[in-house]
Amino acid sequence: MLNNKIKSLIDSKREGEYWDFKAKYHENKVELLHDIICLSNNLLNNEAYLILGVSDKGDLLGVNNDPNRKTQEELISFISGKKFARGRYPHISIVTFIYEQKEIDVIVINPKQYAPYYLEKSLTAKKGNKNKTVYAGSIYTRVEDKNTPIDATASPLDTEILWKIHFGLYPSPLKRLEKYLLNYEKWMKNSTGYFYSEAPQYIVYENEEVAEKEDYFNLISPFYAYNQTNSNTLYSYYEFKYHSTVLYSRQCISLDSGIYTTPVPEPGAINFNMHRDDTIYYRYFIEETMLYNIHLFMYKGDSMEEKFAMDKFVECVLVYKSDVEKELFENYILDNWDKVNQSINENNKRVFGTEHLSQRAKEDITKKIKTVKVLKDELEKFRQINS
């Protein structure tokens, strides 16, 4: 999974707030230390990556014959031998993998919640005829794709953010939960849900009382359930907590007789005004939102059946990159209204498992599944036009 993430960062052909490319290992140990400290103090407090064997532009060079290449033991010894404040130094490891026949080393840096990292004793080393120094007391960070210069210190605002991270005040618990949900492997299952292993105060809890109170057991299956092998569904209600405070809650649905569970997606509607009968209804997620992260979190990948059910669900849901893209796309559909509706009417998608339903219900479900099929095709065209 980490390999895929690093490959994706390399393929982006750019550096970012928590990853940095280096064509080769550092010849100067002070520059290596400076890079590690900057990434350790990234303002997102993300696990960070110093990716070696890749140029600034994302070209693959490899480190196969790099004379300055280090082992994990050498690197840990180098870092732990420095005089860090409070005796806390960045937690690091090295991962090596092959990408397009090139060996790529990744120094993985886990800042935990100990930022800011800084030295109590300066470290100086020569580079050419000049000295380079990581100064004691200087706080270095990384803003977008740029490190704090080695002879400077972070801005007062960035320094304040780092200390808020240290004391658990930043980012907010809701933002931290949003990020933690992407690290499924760190969530531990218990009798009522899950807790986050590195911060057990974050809890995912299935509240059966709410489901019973709202009579979830008698809710009908939505249109996207009929794109599954089995249209039987079961609704549930999940709460996402920090200590005893509910940060977020959501109705969820188990599809294909319980094989796959996901949050109920947002409802979307496209029309010229609220009084028209020919409104286009659909369901959607927006990437990098709490709801979408919950959708990713709930997919366990335990079986081929679950993967198949998830794929069939995603066929019936639009996934936008942002709120802006959603608004622009809906306007694009309005601009092409007659063509889109013609495509929906001409779509020959067949829907099974509706034999027990009324004729009106059959037609409604079939139309919604046809509609989302057309909308997904149109979204791809829209992105190509605007790329």
Side-chain angles (χ1 to χ4, degrees), residues 90 116 129 195 229 247 256 279 374:
N129 296 322
F195 66 91
T229 302
L247 299 176
D256 202 1
T279 299
V374 170

Side-chain angles (χ1 to χ4, degrees), residues 8 21 75 131 199 218 273 279 290 300 336 365 380:
S8 177
F21 299 147
L75 189 63
N131 284 336
N218 291 319
N273 59 65
T279 299
M290 180 69 79
K300 307 301 185 296
N336 295 275
I365 289 167
E380 289 303 311

Side-chain angles (χ1 to χ4, degrees), residues 33 37 77-90 117-123 134-137:
L33 180 64
I37 292 175
S77 178
F78 168 70
I79 293 296
S80 61
K82 304 300 169 284
K83 187 71 173 176
F84 277 89
R86 308 182 307 278
R88 286 179 173 160
Y89 50 85
Y117 293 93
Y118 59 95
L119 297 182
E120 286 185 348
K121 182 180 179 181
S122 299
L123 179 70
V134 175
Y135 291 98

Side-chain angles (χ1 to χ4, degrees), residues 34-227:
H34 175 247
D35 280 343
I36 290 174
I37 292 175
C38 288
L39 285 166
S40 300
N41 290 336
N42 75 82
L43 298 176
L44 297 177
N45 199 227
N46 274 3
E47 183 176 81
Y49 311 106
L50 187 55
I51 304 171
L52 299 141
V54 178
S55 75
D56 291 346
K57 295 181 179 179
D59 298 321
L60 292 168
L61 304 174
V63 292
N64 307 51
N65 301 309
D66 193 325
N68 296 303
R69 193 175 186 181
K70 290 178 173 52
T71 65
Q72 179 163 300
E73 184 180 359
E74 289 171 335
L75 189 63
I76 291 174
S77 178
F78 168 70
I79 293 296
S80 61
K82 304 300 169 284
K83 187 71 173 176
F84 277 89
R86 308 182 307 278
R88 286 179 173 160
Y89 50 85
H91 183 273
I92 58 177
S93 59
I94 294 181
V95 175
T96 301
F97 66 96
I98 307 296
Y99 191 21
E100 294 184 5
Q101 300 181 326
K102 304 284 188 181
E103 281 192 10
I104 305 298
D105 279 358
V106 182
I107 299 177
V108 181
I109 305 163
N110 185 352
K112 296 188 175 178
Q113 219 166 300
Y114 298 144
Y117 293 93
Y118 59 95
L119 297 182
E120 286 185 348
K121 182 180 179 181
S122 299
L123 179 70
T124 300
K126 276 193 175 295
K127 183 174 183 181
N129 296 322
K130 295 183 179 179
N131 284 336
K132 289 211 130 186
T133 302
V134 175
Y135 291 98
S138 288
I139 293 179
Y140 304 103
T141 187
R142 187 169 175 86
V143 178
E144 295 181 353
D145 61 348
K146 296 287 188 288
N147 289 341
T148 306
I150 199 168
D151 56 354
T153 190
S155 72
L157 179 59
D158 291 340
T159 302
E160 180 183 350
I161 289 173
L162 289 168
W163 281 112
K164 283 183 175 180
I165 290 171
H166 177 81
F167 290 111
L169 302 174
Y170 183 91
S172 67
L174 188 62
K175 284 294 182 184
R176 272 181 278 161
L177 171 63
E178 194 173 295
K179 182 177 75 171
Y180 291 161
L181 288 170
L182 298 177
N183 300 323
Y184 173 73
E185 70 280 359
K186 295 181 180 179
W187 287 87
M188 302 291 108
K189 191 171 177 59
N190 58 21
S191 59
T192 58
Y194 301 85
F195 66 91
Y196 193 65
S197 61
E198 294 186 356
Q201 61 270 35
Y202 287 90
I203 300 164
V204 176
Y205 171 68
E206 183 179 359
N207 193 326
E208 295 178 354
E209 292 181 6
V210 171
E212 185 175 351
K213 181 180 178 181
E214 298 295 329
D215 198 20
Y216 280 8
F217 302 104
N218 291 319
L219 292 176
I220 63 173
S221 296
F223 76 91
Y224 47 85
Y226 291 89
N227 199 47

